[in-house]
Coordinates of all heavy atoms in Angstrom, one line a residue:
Y39 N -10.0 26.7 -12.1 CA -9.8 25.2 -12.1 C -9.2 24.7 -10.8 O -8.4 25.4 -10.3 CB -8.9 24.9 -13.3 CG -9.4 25.4 -14.6 CD1 -8.8 26.5 -15.2 CD2 -10.4 24.8 -15.3 CE1 -9.3 27.0 -16.4 CE2 -10.9 25.2 -16.5 CZ -10.3 26.4 -17.1 OH -10.8 26.8 -18.3
Y40 N -9.7 23.6 -10.4 CA -9.3 23.0 -9.1 C -8.8 21.6 -9.3 O -9.4 20.8 -10.2 CB -10.4 23.0 -8.1 CG -10.8 24.4 -7.7 CD1 -11.9 25.0 -8.3 CD2 -10.1 25.2 -6.9 CE1 -12.3 26.3 -8.0 CE2 -10.4 26.5 -6.5 CZ -11.6 27.0 -7.1 OH -12.0 28.3 -6.8
Y41 N -7.9 21.2 -8.5 CA -7.4 19.8 -8.4 C -7.1 19.2 -9.8 O -6.4 19.7 -10.6 CB -8.4 18.9 -7.6 CG -8.8 19.5 -6.3 CD1 -10.0 19.9 -6.0 CD2 -7.8 19.6 -5.3 CE1 -10.3 20.4 -4.7 CE2 -8.0 20.1 -4.1 CZ -9.3 20.5 -3.8 OH -9.6 21.0 -2.5
S42 N -7.7 18.0 -10.1 CA -7.3 17.3 -11.3 C -7.8 18.0 -12.5 O -7.1 17.9 -13.6 CB -7.9 15.9 -11.3 OG -9.3 15.9 -11.2
N43 N -8.8 18.8 -12.4 CA -9.3 19.5 -13.6 C -8.2 20.5 -14.1 O -8.0 20.7 -15.3 CB -10.6 20.2 -13.3 CG -11.3 20.7 -14.6 OD1 -11.2 20.0 -15.6 ND2 -12.1 21.7 -14.4
A44 N -7.5 21.2 -13.1 CA -6.5 22.1 -13.5 C -5.3 21.3 -14.2 O -4.8 21.8 -15.2 CB -5.9 22.8 -12.2
I45 N -5.0 20.1 -13.8 CA -4.0 19.3 -14.4 C -4.4 19.0 -15.8 O -3.6 19.1 -16.8 CB -3.7 18.0 -13.6 CG1 -3.2 18.3 -12.2 CG2 -2.8 17.1 -14.3 CD1 -1.9 19.1 -12.2
F46 N -5.7 18.7 -16.0 CA -6.2 18.3 -17.4 C -6.1 19.5 -18.3 O -5.7 19.4 -19.5 CB -7.6 17.8 -17.3 CG -7.7 16.4 -16.7 CD1 -8.7 16.1 -15.8 CD2 -6.8 15.4 -17.0 CE1 -8.8 14.9 -15.2 CE2 -6.9 14.2 -16.4 CZ -7.9 13.9 -15.5
V47 N -6.4 20.7 -17.8 CA -6.3 21.9 -18.6 C -4.8 22.2 -19.0 O -4.5 22.5 -20.2 CB -6.9 23.1 -17.9 CG1 -6.6 24.4 -18.6 CG2 -8.4 23.0 -17.7
I48 N -3.9 22.0 -18.1 CA -2.5 22.2 -18.4 C -2.0 21.1 -19.4 O -1.3 21.5 -20.4 CB -1.6 22.1 -17.1 CG1 -2.0 23.3 -16.2 CG2 -0.2 22.0 -17.4 CD1 -1.4 23.2 -14.8
L49 N -2.4 19.9 -19.2 CA -2.0 18.8 -20.1 C -2.5 19.1 -21.5 O -1.9 18.8 -22.5 CB -2.5 17.5 -19.6 CG -1.8 16.9 -18.4 CD1 -2.5 15.6 -17.9 CD2 -0.3 16.6 -18.7
Y50 N -3.7 19.6 -21.6 CA -4.3 19.9 -22.9 C -3.5 20.9 -23.7 O -3.4 20.9 -24.9 CB -5.8 20.4 -22.7 CG -6.5 20.7 -24.0 CD1 -6.9 19.7 -24.8 CD2 -6.6 22.0 -24.5 CE1 -7.6 19.9 -26.0 CE2 -7.3 22.3 -25.7 CZ -7.7 21.2 -26.5 OH -8.3 21.5 -27.6
K51 N -2.9 21.9 -23.0 CA -2.2 23.0 -23.6 C -0.7 22.6 -23.9 O -0.1 23.3 -24.7 CB -2.2 24.2 -22.7 CG -3.6 24.8 -22.7 CD -3.7 26.1 -21.9 CE -5.1 26.5 -21.8 NZ -5.2 27.9 -21.5
L52 N -0.3 21.5 -23.4 CA 1.1 21.1 -23.7 C 1.2 20.3 -25.0 O 0.2 19.7 -25.4 CB 1.6 20.1 -22.6 CG 1.8 20.6 -21.2 CD1 2.2 19.5 -20.2 CD2 2.9 21.7 -21.2
N53 N 2.3 20.5 -25.7 CA 2.5 19.8 -26.9 C 3.6 18.8 -26.8 O 4.6 18.8 -27.5 CB 2.9 20.8 -28.0 CG 1.7 21.7 -28.4 OD1 0.6 21.2 -28.4 ND2 2.0 23.0 -28.6
T54 N 3.4 17.9 -25.8 CA 4.4 16.9 -25.5 C 3.7 15.6 -25.3 O 2.5 15.4 -25.4 CB 5.2 17.3 -24.2 OG1 4.3 17.2 -23.1 CG2 5.9 18.6 -24.3
I55 N 4.5 14.6 -25.0 CA 4.0 13.2 -24.7 C 3.1 13.2 -23.5 O 2.3 12.3 -23.4 CB 5.2 12.2 -24.6 CG1 4.7 10.8 -24.7 CG2 6.0 12.4 -23.3 CD1 4.5 10.3 -26.1
W56 N 3.3 14.1 -22.6 CA 2.4 14.2 -21.4 C 1.0 14.3 -21.7 O 0.1 14.0 -20.9 CB 2.9 15.3 -20.5 CG 4.2 15.1 -19.9 CD1 5.4 15.6 -20.2 CD2 4.5 14.2 -18.8 NE1 6.4 15.1 -19.5 CE2 5.9 14.3 -18.5 CE3 3.7 13.4 -18.0 CZ2 6.5 13.5 -17.5 CZ3 4.3 12.7 -16.9 CH2 5.7 12.8 -16.7
K57 N 0.7 14.8 -22.9 CA -0.7 15.0 -23.3 C -1.5 13.7 -23.4 O -2.7 13.7 -23.3 CB -0.7 15.7 -24.7 CG -2.0 16.4 -25.0 CD -1.8 17.2 -26.3 CE -2.9 18.3 -26.4 NZ -2.7 19.2 -27.5
L58 N -0.8 12.6 -23.4 CA -1.4 11.3 -23.4 C -2.1 11.0 -22.1 O -3.1 10.2 -22.1 CB -0.4 10.2 -23.7 CG 0.2 10.2 -25.1 CD1 1.3 9.1 -25.2 CD2 -0.8 9.9 -26.1
L59 N -1.8 11.7 -21.1 CA -2.4 11.5 -19.8 C -3.8 12.0 -19.8 O -4.6 11.8 -18.8 CB -1.6 12.2 -18.7 CG -0.3 11.5 -18.4 CD1 0.5 12.4 -17.3 CD2 -0.4 10.1 -17.9
L60 N -4.2 12.7 -20.8 CA -5.6 13.2 -20.9 C -6.6 12.0 -21.0 O -7.8 12.2 -20.9 CB -5.8 14.1 -22.1 CG -5.2 15.5 -21.9 CD1 -5.3 16.3 -23.2 CD2 -6.0 16.3 -20.8
F61 N -6.1 10.8 -21.3 CA -6.9 9.6 -21.3 C -7.6 9.5 -20.0 O -8.8 9.0 -20.0 CB -6.0 8.4 -21.5 CG -6.6 7.1 -21.2 CD1 -7.5 6.5 -22.1 CD2 -6.4 6.5 -20.0 CE1 -8.1 5.3 -21.8 CE2 -7.0 5.3 -19.7 CZ -7.9 4.7 -20.6
F62 N -7.1 9.9 -18.9 CA -7.7 9.7 -17.6 C -8.9 10.6 -17.4 O -9.6 10.5 -16.4 CB -6.7 10.0 -16.5 CG -5.7 8.9 -16.4 CD1 -4.4 9.1 -16.9 CD2 -6.0 7.6 -15.9 CE1 -3.4 8.1 -16.9 CE2 -5.1 6.6 -15.9 CZ -3.8 6.8 -16.4
R63 N -9.2 11.5 -18.4 CA -10.5 12.3 -18.3 C -11.7 11.4 -18.4 O -12.8 11.9 -18.1 CB -10.5 13.4 -19.4 CG -9.8 14.6 -18.8 CD -10.2 15.8 -19.6 NE -11.3 16.5 -18.9 CZ -11.5 17.8 -19.1 NH1 -10.7 18.4 -19.9 NH2 -12.4 18.4 -18.4
I64 N -11.5 10.2 -18.9 CA -12.7 9.3 -19.0 C -13.3 8.9 -17.6 O -14.4 8.5 -17.5 CB -12.4 8.1 -19.8 CG1 -11.4 7.2 -19.2 CG2 -12.0 8.4 -21.2 CD1 -11.3 5.8 -19.8
F65 N -12.4 9.1 -16.6 CA -12.9 8.7 -15.3 C -13.6 9.9 -14.6 O -13.4 11.1 -15.0 CB -11.7 8.4 -14.4 CG -11.0 7.1 -14.8 CD1 -9.7 7.2 -15.4 CD2 -11.5 5.9 -14.6 CE1 -9.1 6.1 -15.9 CE2 -10.9 4.8 -15.1 CZ -9.7 4.9 -15.7
P66 N -14.6 9.7 -13.7 CA -15.3 10.7 -13.1 C -14.4 11.7 -12.3 O -13.3 11.3 -11.8 CB -16.2 10.0 -12.1 CG -16.3 8.6 -12.6 CD -15.0 8.3 -13.3
L67 N -14.8 12.9 -12.3 CA -13.9 13.9 -11.7 C -13.7 13.7 -10.2 O -12.6 13.9 -9.7 CB -14.6 15.3 -11.8 CG -13.7 16.5 -11.8 CD1 -12.5 16.4 -12.7 CD2 -14.4 17.8 -12.0
F68 N -14.7 13.1 -9.5 CA -14.4 12.8 -8.1 C -13.3 11.8 -7.9 O -12.6 11.8 -6.9 CB -15.7 12.3 -7.4 CG -16.1 10.9 -7.7 CD1 -15.7 9.9 -6.9 CD2 -17.0 10.7 -8.7 CE1 -16.0 8.6 -7.2 CE2 -17.4 9.4 -9.0 CZ -16.9 8.3 -8.3
F69 N -13.2 10.8 -8.8 CA -12.1 9.8 -8.7 C -10.8 10.5 -9.0 O -9.8 10.2 -8.3 CB -12.4 8.7 -9.7 CG -11.3 7.7 -9.7 CD1 -11.2 6.8 -8.7 CD2 -10.4 7.6 -10.8 CE1 -10.1 5.8 -8.6 CE2 -9.4 6.7 -10.8 CZ -9.3 5.8 -9.7
T70 N -10.7 11.3 -10.1 CA -9.4 11.9 -10.4 C -9.0 12.9 -9.4 O -7.8 13.0 -9.1 CB -9.4 12.5 -11.8 OG1 -10.5 13.5 -11.9 CG2 -9.6 11.5 -12.9
D71 N -9.9 13.6 -8.8 CA -9.6 14.5 -7.6 C -9.1 13.7 -6.5 O -8.2 14.1 -5.8 CB -10.8 15.3 -7.2 CG -11.1 16.4 -8.2 OD1 -10.3 16.7 -9.0 OD2 -12.2 17.0 -8.0
L72 N -9.6 12.5 -6.2 CA -9.1 11.6 -5.2 C -7.7 11.2 -5.4 O -6.8 11.3 -4.5 CB -10.0 10.4 -5.0 CG -9.7 9.5 -3.9 CD1 -10.1 10.1 -2.6 CD2 -10.5 8.2 -4.1
V73 N -7.4 10.9 -6.6 CA -6.0 10.5 -7.0 C -5.1 11.7 -6.8 O -4.0 11.6 -6.3 CB -5.9 9.9 -8.4 CG1 -4.5 9.7 -8.9 CG2 -6.7 8.7 -8.5
Y74 N -5.5 12.9 -7.3 CA -4.8 14.1 -7.2 C -4.5 14.4 -5.7 O -3.3 14.7 -5.4 CB -5.6 15.3 -7.8 CG -4.9 16.6 -7.6 CD1 -4.0 17.1 -8.5 CD2 -5.1 17.4 -6.5 CE1 -3.3 18.3 -8.4 CE2 -4.5 18.6 -6.3 CZ -3.6 19.1 -7.2 OH -2.9 20.3 -7.0
R75 N -5.4 14.3 -4.9 CA -5.2 14.6 -3.4 C -4.3 13.6 -2.8 O -3.4 14.0 -2.0 CB -6.6 14.6 -2.7 CG -7.4 15.8 -3.0 CD -8.6 15.8 -2.1 NE -9.6 16.8 -2.6 CZ -10.8 16.5 -3.1 NH1 -11.1 15.2 -3.1 NH2 -11.6 17.4 -3.5
F76 N -4.3 12.3 -3.2 CA -3.4 11.3 -2.7 C -2.0 11.7 -3.0 O -1.1 11.7 -2.2 CB -3.7 10.0 -3.3 CG -2.6 8.9 -3.0 CD1 -2.6 8.3 -1.7 CD2 -1.7 8.6 -3.9 CE1 -1.6 7.4 -1.4 CE2 -0.7 7.7 -3.6 CZ -0.7 7.1 -2.4
F77 N -1.7 12.1 -4.3 CA -0.3 12.4 -4.7 C 0.1 13.8 -4.1 O 1.3 13.9 -3.7 CB -0.2 12.5 -6.2 CG 0.0 11.2 -6.9 CD1 -1.1 10.6 -7.5 CD2 1.2 10.6 -6.9 CE1 -0.9 9.3 -8.1 CE2 1.4 9.3 -7.4 CZ 0.3 8.7 -8.1
S78 N -0.8 14.7 -3.9 CA -0.4 16.0 -3.3 C -0.1 15.8 -1.8 O 0.8 16.5 -1.3 CB -1.5 17.0 -3.5 OG -2.7 16.7 -2.8
K79 N -0.8 14.9 -1.1 CA -0.5 14.7 0.3 C 0.8 13.9 0.5 O 1.4 14.0 1.5 CB -1.7 14.0 1.0 CG -2.8 15.0 1.2 CD -4.0 14.3 1.9 CE -5.2 15.2 2.0 NZ -6.3 14.5 2.6
N80 N 1.1 13.0 -0.5 CA 2.2 12.1 -0.3 C 3.4 12.4 -1.2 O 4.2 11.5 -1.4 CB 1.7 10.7 -0.5 CG 0.7 10.3 0.5 OD1 1.0 10.3 1.7 ND2 -0.5 10.0 0.1
R81 N 3.5 13.6 -1.8 CA 4.5 13.9 -2.8 C 5.9 13.7 -2.3 O 6.8 13.3 -3.0 CB 4.3 15.2 -3.4 CG 4.4 16.4 -2.5 CD 4.1 17.7 -3.3 NE 4.4 18.9 -2.4 CZ 3.5 19.5 -1.7 NH1 2.2 19.0 -1.7 NH2 3.8 20.5 -0.9
Y82 N 6.1 14.1 -1.0 CA 7.5 14.0 -0.5 C 7.9 12.6 -0.2 O 9.0 12.2 -0.3 CB 7.6 14.9 0.8 CG 7.6 16.4 0.5 CD1 6.6 17.2 1.2 CD2 8.4 16.9 -0.5 CE1 6.6 18.5 0.9 CE2 8.3 18.3 -0.7 CZ 7.4 19.1 -0.1 OH 7.3 20.4 -0.3
L83 N 6.9 11.8 0.2 CA 7.2 10.4 0.4 C 7.4 9.6 -0.9 O 8.3 8.7 -1.0 CB 6.0 9.7 1.1 CG 5.7 10.1 2.5 CD1 4.4 9.5 3.0 CD2 6.8 9.6 3.4
I84 N 6.8 10.1 -2.0 CA 6.9 9.4 -3.3 C 8.2 9.9 -4.0 O 9.0 9.0 -4.4 CB 5.7 9.7 -4.2 CG1 4.4 9.1 -3.5 CG2 5.9 9.2 -5.6 CD1 3.1 9.6 -4.1
W85 N 8.4 11.2 -4.1 CA 9.6 11.7 -4.8 C 10.7 12.2 -4.0 O 11.8 12.5 -4.5 CB 9.1 12.8 -5.8 CG 8.2 12.3 -6.9 CD1 8.7 11.5 -7.9 CD2 6.8 12.4 -7.0 NE1 7.6 11.2 -8.7 CE2 6.4 11.7 -8.2 CE3 5.8 13.1 -6.3 CZ2 5.1 11.7 -8.6 CZ3 4.6 13.0 -6.7 CH2 4.2 12.3 -7.9
G86 N 10.5 12.4 -2.7 CA 11.5 12.9 -1.8 C 11.6 14.4 -1.7 O 10.9 15.1 -2.5
R87 N 12.3 14.9 -0.8 CA 12.5 16.3 -0.6 C 13.9 16.7 -0.7 O 14.8 16.0 -0.3 CB 12.0 16.6 0.9 CG 12.0 18.1 1.1 CD 11.6 18.4 2.6 NE 10.2 18.1 2.8 CZ 9.4 19.0 3.3 NH1 9.8 20.1 3.8 NH2 8.1 18.7 3.5
R88 N 14.1 17.8 -1.4 CA 15.5 18.3 -1.6 C 15.8 19.4 -0.6 O 15.0 20.2 -0.2 CB 15.7 18.9 -3.0 CG 15.5 17.8 -4.0 CD 15.8 18.4 -5.4 NE 15.5 17.4 -6.4 CZ 16.4 16.6 -7.0 NH1 17.7 16.7 -6.6 NH2 16.1 15.8 -7.9
K89 N 17.1 19.4 -0.1 CA 17.5 20.4 0.8 C 17.8 21.8 0.1 O 17.7 22.8 0.8 CB 18.7 20.0 1.6 CG 18.4 18.8 2.5 CD 19.7 18.4 3.2 CE 19.3 17.2 4.1 NZ 20.4 16.8 5.0
K90 N 18.1 21.7 -1.1 CA 18.4 22.9 -1.9 C 17.6 22.9 -3.2 O 17.2 21.9 -3.7 CB 19.9 23.0 -2.3 CG 20.8 23.1 -1.1 CD 22.2 23.1 -1.5 CE 23.1 23.2 -0.3 NZ 24.5 23.2 -0.8
C91 N 17.3 24.1 -3.7 CA 16.7 24.3 -5.0 C 17.6 23.9 -6.1 O 18.8 24.1 -6.0 CB 16.2 25.7 -5.2 SG 14.9 26.2 -4.1
L92 N 17.1 23.2 -7.1 CA 18.0 22.9 -8.2 C 18.3 24.1 -9.1 O 17.4 24.9 -9.4 CB 17.3 21.8 -9.1 CG 17.1 20.5 -8.5 CD1 16.3 19.6 -9.5 CD2 18.4 19.8 -8.3
I93 N 19.5 24.2 -9.5 CA 19.9 25.3 -10.5 C 19.9 24.6 -11.8 O 20.7 23.7 -12.1 CB 21.2 25.9 -10.1 CG1 21.1 26.5 -8.7 CG2 21.6 26.9 -11.2 CD1 22.4 27.1 -8.2
P94 N 19.0 25.0 -12.7 CA 18.9 24.3 -14.0 C 20.2 24.5 -14.9 O 20.7 25.6 -14.9 CB 17.7 24.9 -14.7 CG 17.5 26.1 -14.0 CD 18.0 26.0 -12.6
H95 N 20.6 23.5 -15.6 CA 21.7 23.7 -16.5 C 21.1 24.2 -17.9 O 19.9 24.3 -18.0 CB 22.5 22.4 -16.7 CG 21.7 21.2 -17.0 ND1 21.2 20.9 -18.2 CD2 21.2 20.2 -16.2 CE1 20.5 19.8 -18.2 NE2 20.5 19.3 -17.0
K96 N 22.0 24.4 -18.8 CA 21.6 25.1 -20.1 C 20.4 24.3 -20.8 O 19.5 25.0 -21.3 CB 22.7 25.3 -21.0 CG 23.7 26.3 -20.5 CD 24.8 26.5 -21.5 CE 25.7 27.6 -21.0 NZ 26.8 28.0 -22.0
L97 N 20.5 23.0 -20.9 CA 19.5 22.3 -21.6 C 18.1 22.5 -21.0 O 17.1 22.7 -21.6 CB 19.8 20.8 -21.6 CG 18.8 19.9 -22.4 CD1 18.8 20.3 -23.8 CD2 19.2 18.4 -22.2
I98 N 18.0 22.4 -19.7 CA 16.7 22.6 -19.0 C 16.3 24.0 -18.9 O 15.2 24.4 -19.1 CB 16.8 22.0 -17.5 CG1 17.0 20.5 -17.6 CG2 15.6 22.4 -16.7 CD1 17.2 19.8 -16.2
K99 N 17.3 24.9 -18.8 CA 17.0 26.4 -18.7 C 16.4 26.9 -20.0 O 15.6 27.8 -20.0 CB 18.3 27.1 -18.5 CG 18.2 28.5 -17.9 CD 19.5 29.0 -17.5 CE 19.3 30.2 -16.6 NZ 20.6 30.8 -16.1
S100 N 16.7 26.2 -21.1 CA 16.1 26.7 -22.4 C 14.6 26.4 -22.5 O 13.9 27.0 -23.3 CB 16.8 26.0 -23.6 OG 16.5 24.6 -23.5
K101 N 14.1 25.6 -21.6 CA 12.6 25.3 -21.5 C 11.8 26.2 -20.7 O 10.6 26.2 -20.7 CB 12.4 23.8 -21.0 CG 13.0 22.8 -22.0 CD 12.8 21.4 -21.5 CE 13.4 20.5 -22.5 NZ 12.9 19.2 -22.5
F102 N 12.5 27.2 -20.0 CA 11.8 28.1 -19.2 C 11.6 29.4 -19.9 O 12.4 29.8 -20.8 CB 12.7 28.5 -17.9 CG 12.7 27.4 -16.9 CD1 13.6 26.4 -16.9 CD2 11.7 27.4 -15.9 CE1 13.6 25.3 -16.0 CE2 11.7 26.4 -14.9 CZ 12.7 25.4 -15.0
L103 N 10.6 30.2 -19.6 CA 10.4 31.5 -20.2 C 11.3 32.5 -19.6 O 11.6 32.4 -18.4 CB 8.9 31.9 -20.0 CG 7.8 31.1 -20.6 CD1 6.5 31.6 -20.2 CD2 8.0 31.1 -22.1
S104 N 11.8 33.4 -20.4 CA 12.7 34.4 -19.8 C 11.9 35.7 -19.6 O 11.0 36.0 -20.5 CB 13.9 34.7 -20.7 OG 13.5 35.1 -21.9
L105 N 12.1 36.3 -18.5 CA 11.3 37.6 -18.2 C 12.2 38.8 -18.4 O 13.4 38.8 -18.1 CB 10.7 37.5 -16.8 CG 9.7 36.4 -16.6 CD1 9.3 36.4 -15.2 CD2 8.5 36.6 -17.5

């Protein structure tokens, strides 16, 4: 899976409110890939860059798989 198609596969497997974003599958793949590439190229401008990795607290840590 590549670009936006990979995102759609991940969203399909989630059991959260984010699954509602599957609505965007009605658009052609070339358009959703264009949007994906825009966000991937501009992610630091949009959300910013952190100098350090976040250390998750207990509430967030419970959402990660333990190995």
Side-chain angles (χ1 to χ4, degrees):
Y39 303 105
Y40 297 100
Y41 305 117
S42 62
N43 197 30
I45 298 297
F46 291 136
V47 170
I48 292 167
L49 289 172
Y50 181 77
K51 293 183 180 197
L52 291 177
N53 291 322
T54 64
I55 194 81
W56 291 102
K57 205 169 195 175
L58 294 174
L59 292 175
L60 286 173
F61 164 78
F62 291 104
R63 270 201 100 154
I64 65 169
F65 295 107
L67 203 53
F68 75 88
F69 177 74
T70 57
D71 283 346
L72 185 70
V73 173
Y74 175 91
R75 287 188 195 113
F76 170 79
F77 279 102
S78 66
K79 287 180 181 178
N80 296 300
R81 66 183 185 265
Y82 293 126
L83 292 172
I84 297 168
W85 291 287
R87 185 183 286 232
R88 298 186 183 263
K89 293 182 181 184
K90 297 180 182 180
C91 292
L92 291 175
I93 299 175
H95 51 79
K96 288 185 179 184
L97 180 63
I98 294 175
K99 203 172 193 178
S100 67
K101 296 183 181 202
F102 286 89
L103 296 174
S104 62
L105 298 175

